[in-house]
């Protein structure tokens, strides 16, 4: 039976309220959720509606039910939602290209944020990154740290999720030309030179042959 629009709206509303309840009561990963009966009473809906919402969240790996113990919040990083979505919506070339384009947008925004923020681009950590370029370094290592240092947790989460969609993202070691581009990128980032830092980022992306540079 295909659910009608009202049923879908009710389901989404219950999921939204469950999310708010988890936030309001500060339920951490591994924490126990209220019982099905209590949730039905607090959300003022039927137990069958709550049961279906919980079942869906469990299928996605967001919660887990332990027989005789109750329902607990799972670690969202371990759920299978990303893999399920990629199976259905990322089969064509255009979708995969969009993933790389979005990752590039997040990466460049992190560079811009650091360049525009004195407390970020004046950190001593950039010297350590420059030293690291004398060793073998994976393509992913420094760009990941750039996003972390930009201090945008939402962007970081989205980037990690997109990275799972991408085809073997950044798994290679940087070659000599890539390291030259990164040396110039980091040198300009240290002094907050946004335009040049982005320019050398674009040069690096061309060297990796990943997507369009805009």
């Amino acid at each position: 039976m295909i659910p009608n629009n009202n049923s879908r709206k009710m389901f989404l509303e219950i999921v939204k309220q469950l999310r708010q309840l988890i936030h309001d009561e500060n339920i951490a990963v591994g924490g126990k959720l209220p019982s099905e009966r209590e949730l039905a009473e607090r959300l003022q809906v039927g137990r069958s509606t709550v049961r279906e919402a919980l079942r869906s969240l469990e299928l996605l790996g967001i919660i887990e039910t332990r027989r005789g113990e109750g329902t607990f919040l799972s670690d969202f990083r371990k759920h299978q939602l990303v893999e399920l979505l990629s199976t259905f919506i990322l089969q064509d070339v255009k979708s995969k290209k969009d993933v790389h384009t979005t990752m590039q947008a997040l990466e460049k925004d992190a560079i811009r944020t650091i360049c525009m923020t004195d407390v970020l681009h004046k950190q001593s950590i950039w010297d350590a990154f420059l030293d690291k370029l004398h060793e073998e370094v994976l393509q992913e290592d420094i760009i990941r740290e750039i996003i972390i240092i930009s201090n945008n947790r939402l962007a970081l989460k989205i980037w990690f999720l997109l990275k799972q969609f991408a085809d073997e993202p950044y798994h290679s070691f940087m070659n000599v030309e890539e390291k030259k581009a990164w040396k110039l990128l980091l040198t300009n980032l240290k002094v907050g030179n946004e335009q040049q830092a982005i320019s050398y980022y674009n040069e690096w992306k061309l060297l990796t042959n990943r997507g369009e540079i805009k």
Side-chain angles (χ1 to χ4, degrees), residues 5-93:
N5 287 334
N6 288 334
S7 297
R8 284 195 291 266
K9 288 180 180 178
M10 174 63 75
F11 169 78
L12 292 174
E13 182 59 30
I14 295 303
V15 172
K16 181 179 178 181
Q17 290 185 47
L18 284 171
R19 167 69 180 84
Q20 190 62 46
L21 183 148
I22 290 169
H23 176 270
D24 292 344
E25 300 196 1
N26 197 28
I27 301 176
V29 171
K32 187 175 182 180
L33 274 66
S35 68
E36 185 181 292
R37 183 182 67 180
E38 184 179 348
L39 286 172
E41 292 174 352
R42 293 173 62 172
L43 301 179
Q44 297 184 338
V45 295
R47 289 185 64 174
S48 61
T49 304
V50 171
R51 188 177 303 118
E52 288 302 315
L54 292 175
R55 185 178 300 167
S56 298
L57 294 176
E58 185 170 18
L59 286 172
L60 292 174
I62 295 173
I63 61 174
E64 62 174 319
T65 300
R66 303 172 192 167
R67 187 182 293 261
E69 296 183 48
T71 303
F72 300 83
L73 186 64
S74 299
D75 186 342
F76 77 94
R77 292 170 296 184
K78 297 179 181 179
H79 68 60
Q80 302 300 307
L81 179 58
V82 171
E83 289 79 4
L84 288 171
L85 286 175
S86 64
T87 299
F88 290 97
I89 66 175
L90 288 176
Q91 297 304 308
D92 60 280
V93 175

Side-chain angles (χ1 to χ4, degrees), residues 1-213:
M1 179 178 178
I2 299 175
N4 57 35
N5 287 334
N6 288 334
S7 297
R8 284 195 291 266
K9 288 180 180 178
M10 174 63 75
F11 169 78
L12 292 174
E13 182 59 30
I14 295 303
V15 172
K16 181 179 178 181
Q17 290 185 47
L18 284 171
R19 167 69 180 84
Q20 190 62 46
L21 183 148
I22 290 169
H23 176 270
D24 292 344
E25 300 196 1
N26 197 28
I27 301 176
V29 171
K32 187 175 182 180
L33 274 66
S35 68
E36 185 181 292
R37 183 182 67 180
E38 184 179 348
L39 286 172
E41 292 174 352
R42 293 173 62 172
L43 301 179
Q44 297 184 338
V45 295
R47 289 185 64 174
S48 61
T49 304
V50 171
R51 188 177 303 118
E52 288 302 315
L54 292 175
R55 185 178 300 167
S56 298
L57 294 176
E58 185 170 18
L59 286 172
L60 292 174
I62 295 173
I63 61 174
E64 62 174 319
T65 300
R66 303 172 192 167
R67 187 182 293 261
E69 296 183 48
T71 303
F72 300 83
L73 186 64
S74 299
D75 186 342
F76 77 94
R77 292 170 296 184
K78 297 179 181 179
H79 68 60
Q80 302 300 307
L81 179 58
V82 171
E83 289 79 4
L84 288 171
L85 286 175
S86 64
T87 299
F88 290 97
I89 66 175
L90 288 176
Q91 297 304 308
D92 60 280
V93 175
K94 177 64 168 62
S95 295
K96 293 178 180 179
K97 183 178 180 181
D98 287 345
V99 168
H100 290 297
T101 300
T102 305
M103 288 180 70
Q104 289 177 33
L106 292 170
E107 292 161 3
K108 287 195 281 190
D109 187 64
I111 292 171
R112 292 189 183 99
T113 297
I114 292 171
C115 286
M116 292 187 297
T117 310
D118 284 350
V119 71
L120 295 179
H121 73 71
K122 291 183 178 180
Q123 294 188 53
S124 59
I125 193 170
W126 308 119
D127 290 326
F129 285 165
L130 285 166
D131 288 340
K132 189 176 180 67
L133 292 176
H134 295 295
E135 309 167 2
E136 280 197 329
V137 55
L138 284 171
Q139 293 170 333
E140 176 186 341
D141 287 351
I142 297 181
I143 194 64
R144 181 189 64 244
E145 294 303 314
I146 292 280
I147 298 174
I148 291 173
I149 292 168
S150 71
N151 203 29
N152 186 330
R153 294 179 64 187
L154 178 58
L156 180 64
K157 288 180 180 180
I158 294 172
W159 186 84
F160 272 122
L161 288 173
L162 289 173
K163 192 168 71 70
Q164 294 182 61
F165 285 137
D167 294 328
E168 300 182 359
Y170 305 153
H171 283 177
S172 300
F173 286 101
M174 288 188 186
N175 59 35
V176 174
E177 293 303 313
E178 288 181 77
K179 288 183 178 182
K180 287 180 180 177
W182 265 103
K183 180 178 180 180
L184 293 168
L185 191 164
L186 291 170
T187 300
N188 280 279
L189 188 148
K190 281 179 59 179
V191 296
N193 192 334
E194 175 188 331
Q195 185 175 354
Q196 286 299 311
I198 292 296
S199 175
Y200 288 115
Y201 166 86
N202 288 339
E203 180 178 323
W204 172 61
K205 294 302 293 186
L206 288 173
L207 290 168
T208 65
N209 293 316
R210 290 187 179 277
E212 296 181 359
I213 298 298

